[in-house]
Amino acid sequence: MSSVYLPPGRPLIATAEDSVPAGTGPPTTLRAAVALARSADPLGHRVHVALAGAFAFVLPLGMVPIAKDVILIALAVYTLLRLPKIHRCFHPFWRDPLTWLILAWPAWFGLSLLWSPSPAFGVEESRVLRMLLLLPLLWPVLGHYHVIIGAFVMGCGVIVLFQLGQVLGLPGFTVDIQGRADAAMQPILAGAFLVTAATWLLSGVLHWRGRRGAAIAAGLIVIVVGLVLTGSRGPWVSLAIAGTLLVLTTVLLVPPARRRVAALGGLATVAVAGVVLLDIVLLSGQFTNPIRARVETALVETDASAGDAHYEMELGGWHRTPVGYRLLVWEAATQVFRANPIIGTGGGGLSSELDASWWLSPPEAAAAGIPVSQQHLNPHSMYLQVLASTGVIGLLLLVIPMVMAWCRLLGRAGDPVLLGAAFVLVAWASGAAFDGYQMMTSMMAVLMLIYLAAMIARQPTRGETT
C-alpha cells in the first residue's frame, strides 16, 4: 500500500475481467467471488440481495424483534438452495485469517462451558452467536454492501418516526416510565442503533458533496434528534468518541476532504448554538432540558456512589441507580476475574460467585429470596463479563479480530462506507464498556456487518489481484 489515502476506485460489483470461467479453479479475491455468484445464478443473486437488504432494514426494529430471525432463517434457507451453484465463491472467505479469528472466541466460550458452574446461563448467552451466520449468508452479495448499510440506516429512520409518535402522544405510542422515547425497546439498544447509523452518515457527510451530501446531512440530523430522545447516556458518549475520532482521521488521512471538514465544522457549530439558543428562548428548554437533566442525574448518582457506603445502601438506595449499580457490579465482576484470571469461571458462571453481593439482586428477586447465583446477572460491561467468564484468553480472542478489522478499515480511508465502518466499530467498542453487547443479538449482528466491511477492505495478498 503506497499511501494511506486510497480512493474508492472501481466498484466491487462484478465486471467481465473479474469473472471466473467455468471449469477453472476457485476465485481468489472477494471481487471475483461476487462475480462468480452473480454470473452463476443471476436471478438468485437479485433475490439474495433483496433478502440481505430486508434483514438489514428490520435489524434495528426492536419493536418487532421476531422480524430479524424470520428473515435470517429465510436467508439461510435461500443460501443453502443456491449453494450447489455458488459454493466456489466461498473460497476467499475461508482463506481470510479474519474468518478464523472471529470464530475463535465462540469456540473458546463453548469450551468454557465445561468448567462453568452455570452452563445453562452460558447456553442462554450463546444464543446470540447465531448472528455469526451473517458472515457466510451475506458473503455472496457483498458487492452490494452499500445497499445493505443503506437499508440499515433507513430502518433506524423508522425508530425515529416511532419516537416522534411517542413524543407527540399519538394513540398506541407511549414513552417509558422515565419519560424517554424508547421506540418500544430498551432505550440503550435504540441509542446504540442510532449511534451506528449516525456514524455511517457522518462519514458520508464528510466525504460526499452535492445532493447526495445534503440528503445524508438531513438524515444525520434526524438520527441525532432520535438519539437525544432516547435519553441514553452511554450511546451519547459513544457517538462523541467515534464522531470526534472520525473527523480527526478524515482530516489526517483524506486530504481532499479537509476543506469540507473545516467548513462543515464551522457550520455545525453555528447551527448547534442557534438551535440551543432558540430552544432556551422560545421553547423554554423543551429539548435541551432533558439532556441537561440526564447529565446532572449521572453526576449526582456518581457522587452518591462515591466511597465505601455499603452500610447506607438500604437507606439511600443509591445502589439501585444506573450509575450506582454499574459501579457495584463492575467491582463484583472484577473480583470474580481476579479469582480466575486466565480461563475465567466459565461461560454464564459469573452470577454463581456472587451470592454474598446481595445488593446486586433486583428488588423483586430479593423479596422472593432468590440468591444471586440463580439470577442471570448483567454486569453492564462486555469486557468485565468476558474477563470474569472466559478470562484473559477469552478477552484477547474477542478483541484481536476487532483490532484487525479496524486496521483494515482504516487503510481504506478514501471510502466513506468502509471508513465509517471503522468508527462504527469504535462506537460499538465504546458502548460495550457500559453494556453487555455480546449478549445482545442485534448488536452482535452489527458487529458482523462491521466484520464484513473488513473483509471487503482486505488488501490482496501476494498472487491476488485487486
Side-chain angles (χ1 to χ4, degrees):
M1 188 167 60
S2 60
S3 65
V4 176
Y5 172 63
L6 294 176
R10 63 177 175 166
L12 185 59
I13 306 301
T15 62
E17 64 185 279
D18 295 316
S19 61
V20 180
T24 65
T28 57
T29 65
L30 172 57
R31 187 182 290 113
V34 172
L36 185 151
R38 188 179 188 182
S39 61
D41 182 20
L43 177 59
H45 186 81
R46 289 192 287 271
V47 176
H48 203 149
V49 172
L51 284 172
F55 176 84
F57 179 78
V58 302
L59 174 59
L61 303 185
M63 69 288 290
V64 193
I66 194 174
K68 64 179 179 294
D69 283 314
V70 170
I71 300 182
L72 182 67
I73 293 172
L75 261 172
V77 172
Y78 194 75
T79 304
L80 287 174
L81 292 175
R82 294 190 73 205
L83 200 56
K85 297 181 179 179
I86 67 170
H87 64 91
R88 288 195 304 152
C89 83
F90 287 97
H91 184 70
F93 175 77
W94 297 117
R95 290 184 61 194
D96 191 336
L98 182 59
T99 300
W100 300 103
L101 286 173
I102 293 169
L103 296 175
W105 181 74
W108 176 253
F109 182 88
L111 183 64
S112 75
L113 297 180
L114 296 177
W115 59 82
S116 171
S118 301
F121 286 162
V123 171
E124 183 177 343
E125 292 177 16
S126 69
R127 290 170 56 194
V128 304
L129 298 179
R130 67 188 185 276
M131 289 300 142
L132 288 168
L133 290 172
L134 288 175
L135 298 176
L137 296 183
L138 298 184
W139 173 266
V141 294
L142 277 191
H144 301 272
Y145 186 76
H146 61 290
V147 174
I148 296 171
I149 299 307
F152 174 84
V153 172
M154 287 190 287
C156 291
V158 174
I159 292 179
V160 181
L161 290 177
F162 196 103
Q163 290 177 297
L164 293 177
Q166 292 179 301
V167 172
L168 296 174
L170 299 180
F173 295 82
T174 56
V175 295
D176 72 359
I177 193 172
Q178 294 181 337
R180 298 182 291 181
D182 58 358
M185 67 181 91
Q186 223 289 337
I188 293 173
L189 182 59
F193 284 138
L194 295 174
V195 166
T196 301
T199 304
W200 256 310
L201 289 170
L202 177 60
S203 183
V205 168
L206 296 176
H207 285 77
W208 285 319
R209 301 174 181 271
R211 294 180 180 178
R212 180 166 58 173
I216 292 174
L220 177 59
I221 292 171
V222 170
I223 295 297
V224 169
V225 168
L227 179 60
V228 171
L229 292 177
T230 65
S232 189
R233 295 168 296 205
W236 294 351
V237 174
S238 297
L239 182 59
I241 294 172
T244 300
L245 293 177
L246 172 57
V247 171
L248 292 175
T249 300
T250 303
V251 170
L252 291 173
L253 301 185
V254 189
R258 289 173 182 170
R259 289 186 179 180
R260 182 171 178 77
V261 171
L264 289 174
L267 182 61
T269 301
V270 172
V272 170
V275 169
V276 171
L277 182 62
L278 288 174
D279 179 55
I280 293 174
V281 174
L282 299 180
L283 300 176
S284 301
Q286 181 177 348
F287 293 101
T288 54
N289 283 342
I291 300 175
R292 185 179 62 193
R294 291 291 292 165
V295 174
E296 290 177 350
T297 299
L299 295 175
V300 170
E301 292 172 0
T302 302
D303 184 63
S305 306
D308 184 9
H310 286 202
Y311 65 92
E312 296 179 351
M313 285 186 198
E314 292 181 341
L315 298 177
W318 61 265
H319 60 301
R320 300 294 181 199
T321 67
V323 172
Y325 180 84
R326 277 176 170 80
L327 292 175
L328 288 172
V329 78
W330 290 349
E331 178 185 353
T334 301
Q335 292 174 355
V336 174
F337 160 65
R338 288 173 177 170
N340 307 273
I342 305 301
I343 64 173
T345 191
L350 174 61
S351 301
S352 65
E353 308 289 338
L354 300 176
D355 274 348
S357 303
W358 57 267
W359 49 83
L360 299 178
S361 294
E364 60 274 13
I370 302 175
V372 178
S373 59
Q374 296 180 21
Q375 303 170 35
H376 196 177
L377 184 69
N378 178 10
H380 289 282
S381 173
M382 179 185 76
Y383 305 105
L384 285 175
Q385 182 164 7
V386 170
L387 281 170
S389 299
T390 57
V392 172
I393 294 176
L395 185 65
L396 288 175
L397 293 177
L398 178 66
V399 170
I400 286 173
M402 294 170 64
V403 173
M404 182 178 182
W406 188 79
C407 291
R408 283 189 184 181
L409 291 165
L410 199 65
R412 293 299 184 95
D415 188 308
V417 178
L418 297 184
L419 182 63
F423 291 92
V424 168
L425 180 55
V426 171
W428 196 97
S430 302
F434 303 101
D435 287 283
Y437 281 5
Q438 87 289 358
M439 292 200 302
M440 298 181 182
T441 303
S442 298
M443 294 313 295
M444 283 298 290
V446 170
L447 183 60
M448 294 306 110
L449 292 179
I450 298 167
Y451 283 150
L452 287 167
M455 291 178 176
I456 294 173
R458 182 190 179 200
Q459 295 297 319
T461 57
R462 183 176 299 176
E464 295 179 348
T465 58
T466 56

